[in-house]
Amino acid sequence: MNGPWDVSSDCTPDCAAHAVPRVPATVVARRGAVFAHTVRRALTDGTRLADPVRLRAHAAALLEALGIRIEGAAALRAGDGPGTLVVANHISWLDILALLAVEPVTLLAKREVGGWPVVGGLARRAGTHFIDRTNPRRLPDSVHQVAELLGSGRSVAVFPQATTWCTAEQGAFRRATFQAALDAGAPVRPVTLDYTQQGLPSTVAAFCGEDTFAGSLRRVLAARGLTIRVTAHPALTTADGDLDRRELAALAARAVRGGHPSLSPSPAAASAAVAVRRASAAAAPVPSGPSPDARILSAPAPAPPHSRLPDTPLRDTPAHV
């Protein structure tokens, strides 16, 4: 149920489209079987799933079962001391697995995520902190909890767009969780999540509007050459107290949206994607602007492509994240 703190997205399930032809049905069936087995194995770990080593291994195994590659960042944490507030754009339920496969962090998610098939169970066992967006009066307490986690040295990942969008360029960043970083004197690591298929920008993984987990999973299982690129931008420091949360959110949003290949297809690419739905096609990447000039704390060194990861569900669940 939506509340006054909820955010709505202009994106719908119609935004999700393959950029290249689908894999054969035999591959879909094999991926589905491997994914189901991998989910069962992860869930049997119970509370042990919260162990960082196990959590990262299970996230990577799930993505691999789906035939998904991870590329980009080798680490998300910025330096010693307080934990790092990791802020990323939100496109899909796969975003969670991608971040955890790179570096296990504590996730902050809306309460409804705990009820999602597969991902919800994993999130609960992994120690995710859930917030109730139907009750804004609890916001200060949520911010305080995040600040305490950061102050204790634990990194926390949030999706400040508050819901899913089909590309990284859409959706405003909400400012509340940035106050937690300021209160804890913790660095903020902007992260861009991009989805491509055989090098072409793709929206096939988008989980938006009234989409269901089952519908999204079917698309992902059929996706050919799906890759998630995790780009960790230079961290923003809050220790000097020169920024307020509005400025910090604006700098982080600029970092996430700039300095990476755009996921937004051009009109020609969009037409191609529609054609692929019927048989074949392609899209063309759109270059975007430079990365932010904000206060830089540190930048992760480029890393070789990460391991590959997977997914699989049981019942339909609305996508609204």
Side-chain angles (χ1 to χ4, degrees), residues 22 28 45 72 102 111 113 115 139 172 175 182 218 246 255 275:
R22 297 167 175 79
V28 173
D45 248 0
V102 171
R111 184 181 57 184
V113 172
L139 176 57
R175 302 185 293 270
L182 292 169
R218 284 192 292 269
R246 182 188 300 271

Side-chain angles (χ1 to χ4, degrees), residues 59-317:
L62 287 168
L63 290 176
E64 185 173 10
L66 293 172
I68 299 174
R69 288 178 53 84
I70 291 289
E71 295 180 348
L76 302 177
R77 186 181 177 90
D80 300 323
T84 300
L85 182 67
V86 178
V87 295
N89 60 294
H90 205 5
I91 293 175
S92 172
W93 53 275
L94 293 171
D95 301 343
I96 295 172
L97 296 178
L99 291 177
L100 294 178
V102 171
E103 181 177 324
V105 292
T106 299
L107 293 168
L108 183 69
K110 76 174 188 176
R111 184 181 57 184
E112 290 82 351
V113 172
W116 288 1
V118 181
V119 173
L122 294 174
R124 291 193 303 273
R125 288 166 174 79
T128 297
H129 284 245
F130 296 104
I131 56 177
D132 182 3
R133 290 205 177 115
T134 65
N135 189 351
R137 294 181 180 179
R138 295 185 180 177
L139 176 57
D141 184 57
S142 296
V143 171
H144 178 69
Q145 290 179 27
V146 174
E148 286 190 331
L149 288 169
L150 293 170
S152 71
R154 295 174 63 180
S155 293
V156 179
V158 301
F159 299 105
Q161 292 167 313
T163 191
T164 48
W165 302 78
C166 63
T167 68
E169 292 76 18
Q170 303 181 73
F173 272 29
R174 309 205 70 167
R175 302 185 293 270
T177 50
F178 289 92
Q179 185 62 49
L182 292 169
D183 293 344
V188 175
R189 173 78 76 192
V191 172
T192 301
L193 300 172
D194 287 322
Y195 288 78
T196 63
Q197 288 183 267
Q198 296 185 342
L200 299 174
S202 176
T203 59
V204 70
F207 186 43
C208 302
E210 295 304 313
D211 201 359
T212 64
F213 187 82
S216 177
L217 180 64
R218 284 192 292 269
R219 287 194 304 273
V220 171
L221 288 171
R224 182 187 300 273
L226 185 58
T227 296
I228 308 174
R229 180 161 186 84
V230 182
T231 303
H233 301 283
L236 308 174
T237 182
T238 63
D240 54 18
D242 288 344
L243 299 173
D244 61 24
R245 66 183 184 183
R246 182 188 300 271
E247 294 167 328
L248 194 58
L251 290 172
R254 181 181 171 190
V256 168
R257 292 170 181 153
H260 67 281
S262 171
L263 274 187
S264 296
S266 64
S271 299
V274 171
V276 167
R277 268 190 222 174
R278 297 171 185 166
S280 64
V286 179
S288 67
S291 56
D293 57 357
R295 297 160 174 77
I296 297 177
L297 178 65
S298 63
H306 243 285
S307 55
R308 308 178 350 172
L309 313 170
D311 52 56
T312 184
L314 293 178
R315 73 175 191 277
D316 280 4
T317 300

